[in-house]
Amino acid sequence: MTDINYNLLKVVSQALSVTPTDIQMPPEDLPGMLTIAQNHSILPLVCEGIIKNRSIEIAPDIKEKVFKCVLFDQMQTNALQAIEAAFLQNKIDYMLLKGASIKSLYQKSEMRLMGDIDILIKEEQYADICPIMEKLG
């Protein structure tokens, strides 16, 4: 494992840890680490670990990217809440899968970004769900 990947794992561990630890890494690793984090949709998670470390400054352009992730996460959260409310109101049985089901386990929901929202439904309720989803947009 390369040093940059090892340091990335340490920073992710730091983000998920309750007790901050001092991570020593060369400053030249940071741009590559942040590129990997962005490519794998873990930029907010990595930045949280860096913030907890307190020995590394995050550039304003990275903070802006994280802010956009937070806004996107909030939009997804709002959409999911609307879907759940509509399903409850219409007595639709469903189960959240993957990211949507585990986001609440993270200290901050934006630490677990999602590209979509995966929901398991009963096939026999599909015809009832279509107009609900269309109404929600």
Side-chain angles (χ1 to χ4, degrees):
M1 181 181 306
T2 65
D3 287 344
I4 194 167
N5 289 334
Y6 180 72
N7 286 332
L8 179 63
L9 287 175
K10 289 195 308 188
V11 169
V12 168
S13 177
Q14 173 84 346
L16 299 172
S17 173
V18 178
T19 309
T21 57
D22 188 30
I23 299 171
Q24 300 298 322
M25 75 174 146
E28 59 270 13
D29 278 4
L30 189 59
M33 183 184 302
L34 293 173
T35 298
I36 293 169
Q38 190 166 354
N39 290 342
H40 292 279
S41 299
I42 59 169
L43 186 62
L45 180 64
V46 169
C47 285
E48 182 69 21
I50 291 170
I51 290 167
K52 281 185 176 180
N53 192 32
R54 295 190 189 107
S55 66
I56 304 165
E57 186 64 33
I58 299 175
D61 63 318
I62 299 299
K63 288 180 183 178
E64 184 178 332
K65 288 177 183 178
V66 171
F67 181 70
K68 288 178 181 178
C69 290
V70 171
L71 289 177
F72 183 72
D73 175 70
Q74 190 57 55
M75 288 171 38
Q76 282 185 325
T77 299
N78 293 345
L80 184 55
Q81 288 172 347
I83 291 168
E84 289 186 296
F87 282 9
L88 181 65
Q89 182 180 9
N90 290 281
K91 297 179 177 43
I92 301 293
D93 296 319
Y94 70 96
M95 184 171 73
L96 299 176
L97 303 173
K98 301 183 335 188
S101 66
I102 64 168
K103 284 179 79 70
S104 63
L105 301 176
Y106 288 79
Q107 296 163 0
K108 298 177 180 179
S109 66
E110 68 269 11
M111 291 168 68
R112 174 57 168 95
L113 296 177
M114 300 183 305
D116 60 6
I117 299 171
D118 298 295
I119 304 172
L120 179 66
I121 60 170
K122 289 184 175 180
E123 188 174 354
E124 59 267 19
Q125 290 185 311
Y126 183 79
D128 298 328
I129 292 170
C130 286
I132 295 169
M133 297 301 285
E134 287 174 5
K135 184 178 178 184
L136 291 172

